[in-house]
Amino acid sequence: MLSGAIACIGFTWIASPACTELEVVMMDWLGKMLELPAEFLACSGGKGGGVIQGTASESTLVALLGAKAKKVKEVKELHPEWDEHTILGKLVGYCSDQAHSSVERAGLLGGVKLRSVQSENHRMRGAALEKAIEQDLAEGLIPFYAVVTLGTTNSCAFDYLDECGPVGNKHNVWIHVDAAYAGSAFICPEYRHLMKGIESADSFNFNPHKWMLVNFDCSAMWLKDPSWVVNAFNVDPLYLKHDMQGSAPDYRHWQIPLGRRFRALKLWFVLRLYGVENLQAHIRRHCNFAKLFGDLCVADSRFELAAEINMGLVCFRLKGSNERNEALLKRINGRGHIHLVPAKIKDVYFLRMAICSRFTQSEDMEYSWKEVSAAADEMEQEQ
């Protein structure tokens, strides 16, 4: 409400110094909460810094466009005789077969090829990424970008960043880390092992609006060297110039839209209102609720877990065919008391219990399981 009422259009520092400067500080606060490497933080005095995008899809596209601009410049220096059209036709990016659909969409919008790398137990390994890169190099293509997902949409699986990151560094491929949902958990020290290898990334993104009690839209993105993105997007007409250019970031160069809202304000309110310890407690509570729901599921011999329980997500299914599980989901959602969303990995259809609300209690897990169980009972009675 306050952000809307202040109504600043913060595309330049001069349009609203508070809008820009609070964002710089909030992204440093948030980066320190996650213990991101200093190279990502503006307060380190280096090139790095953070920006609030609207969504993780935007961040993936912005990183891809920055990586594309960087690679085109490098290749032009090596092959001055090649025109830009020739170079763009050779560019290829990579992601896990479990990556979010927005990664594929970023490739379409960026006009480049994206290769899907076969995952192992739902997680991308460094060896598989390296094999794909070497195959493309042998065919005369130019690898330039790879998305490593920490917390996939289907099953909240974590790609091996500590393997994939060094592979990207070795082949001069931009590594973008998409931790849209699970990144919020990295404020808890016990979950930071899942981001091992973060020092090898070029950009990192997660959504405080998904699991850190900040309302939509607030997608936090950090870049080790924002100049590639800034230069890719830099259109500087006279009417947007000001005397303080260069002394503070003009965030219009860090994003696809020109105008932007005062999003740092809501991040400031949440961090000041809750504090780090209360936000950590919120994350831990949800993770415990997921384990509780998982225990209820395993205790019923009709059901099985479809994936390891990670964070606040439980992937489960009725033992048997996909059709049985589709019918079960339709019945659960049709009852109108809880709502579940399905997923499918390697042609195995399963249901996903995602714990999202700050008002969730342990009783809600028991209630939800009774709904699932009752729907399964109804199906059995009708057979």
Side-chain angles (χ1 to χ4, degrees):
M1 286 168 67
L2 194 55
S3 171
I6 290 171
C8 69
I9 309 297
F11 42 61
T12 58
W13 175 87
I14 201 79
S16 174
C19 179
T20 296
E21 291 180 26
L22 187 64
E23 189 158 332
V24 172
V25 174
M26 286 306 95
M27 292 304 289
D28 278 349
W29 280 17
L30 200 51
K32 287 175 182 174
M33 284 166 64
L34 270 64
E35 291 197 356
L36 285 181
E39 306 100 284
F40 284 110
L41 309 182
C43 61
S44 69
K47 293 179 182 175
V51 59
I52 300 175
Q53 305 283 4
T55 64
S57 308
E58 271 178 70
S59 298
T60 304
L61 178 57
V62 165
L64 181 142
L65 295 173
K68 179 177 157 185
K70 180 174 187 270
K71 187 57 75 174
V72 166
K73 186 173 185 291
E74 287 169 359
V75 175
K76 272 185 175 173
E77 286 169 3
L78 281 171
H79 299 280
E81 72 281 7
W82 289 5
D83 62 18
E84 195 158 314
H85 182 72
T86 304
I87 298 167
L88 292 177
K90 292 174 179 285
L91 292 182
V92 59
Y94 307 88
C95 64
S96 158
D97 58 11
Q98 295 300 305
H100 192 264
S101 58
S102 62
V103 180
E104 185 184 346
R105 195 158 174 260
L108 291 172
L109 291 169
V112 293
K113 291 186 280 288
L114 273 185
R115 267 191 73 170
S116 179
V117 177
Q118 190 75 33
S119 60
E120 181 184 306
N121 293 326
H122 315 161
R123 306 167 73 185
M124 182 164 70
R125 308 260 354 191
L129 176 61
E130 183 146 44
K131 186 181 175 188
I133 288 173
E134 285 173 349
Q135 277 176 356
D136 287 336
L137 285 169
E139 289 173 21
L141 297 174
I142 305 169
F144 80 107
Y145 181 65
V147 176
V148 176
T149 306
L150 299 183
T152 59
T153 305
N154 282 337
S155 63
C156 200
F158 291 78
D159 290 345
Y160 290 90
L161 176 58
D162 58 333
E163 295 177 8
C164 297
V167 168
N169 297 165
K170 174 183 166 185
H171 293 282
N172 198 18
V173 167
W174 181 300
I175 296 289
H176 175 67
V177 175
D178 174 9
Y181 161 69
S184 297
F186 300 150
I187 65 172
C188 301
E190 64 269 30
Y191 295 119
R192 285 191 199 127
H193 68 278
L194 294 165
M195 61 190 281
K196 186 182 173 195
I198 189 62
E199 66 284 346
S200 62
D202 295 280
S203 50
F204 174 83
N205 165 244
F206 88 99
N207 290 351
H209 68 233
K210 275 202 168 80
W211 201 16
M212 219 185 78
L213 301 175
V214 180
N215 59 303
F216 186 83
D217 52 347
C218 181
S219 184
M221 180 186 192
W222 289 266
L223 297 136
K224 270 187 185 166
D225 186 355
S227 67
W228 293 110
V229 167
V230 169
N231 293 337
F233 295 167
N234 196 342
V235 177
D236 217 11
L238 184 60
Y239 50 78
L240 289 175
K241 290 182 186 291
H242 59 90
D243 292 341
M244 300 299 289
Q245 276 182 231
S247 58
D250 281 335
Y251 277 130
R252 72 179 189 275
H253 297 317
W254 296 49
Q255 60 176 24
I256 293 157
L258 179 63
R260 56 203 328 271
R261 296 181 300 110
F262 201 163
R263 286 186 286 230
L265 199 58
K266 54 191 171 189
L267 196 51
W268 181 84
F269 268 106
V270 168
L271 296 183
R272 296 287 288 159
L273 183 66
Y274 282 88
V276 178
E277 287 182 8
N278 280 323
L279 290 169
Q280 288 173 334
H282 162 73
I283 298 288
R284 288 171 180 141
R285 201 169 72 249
H286 278 193
C287 293
N288 288 333
F289 288 154
K291 290 189 181 81
L292 173 60
F293 188 87
D295 290 343
L296 291 167
C297 177
V298 171
D300 188 325
S301 60
R302 298 173 297 177
F303 288 86
E304 62 187 356
L305 294 177
E308 183 186 347
I309 296 173
N310 279 326
M311 307 297 167
L313 180 69
V314 185
C315 301
F316 68 101
R317 67 193 306 275
L318 262 178
K319 290 173 183 172
S321 68
N322 285 349
E323 289 72 27
R324 282 190 80 201
N325 283 281
E326 286 173 32
L328 176 65
L329 179 74
K330 196 171 180 182
R331 193 172 286 266
I332 291 167
N333 290 347
R335 287 166 65 93
H337 301 297
I338 63 170
H339 186 84
L340 301 182
V341 174
K344 193 185 255 188
I345 299 177
K346 292 188 169 72
D347 207 40
V348 176
Y349 183 100
F350 55 89
L351 283 59
R352 299 161 70 260
M353 175 68 183
I355 297 142
C356 308
S357 171
R358 67 190 175 100
F359 299 112
T360 303
Q361 304 290 334
S362 57
E363 298 83 57
D364 297 320
M365 297 299 98
E366 289 157 19
Y367 176 84
S368 297
W369 182 252
K370 279 176 187 165
E371 279 295 307
V372 172
S373 186
D377 290 343
E378 286 175 15
M379 282 176 61
E380 284 178 350
Q381 286 161 13
E382 287 176 11
Q383 279 176 354

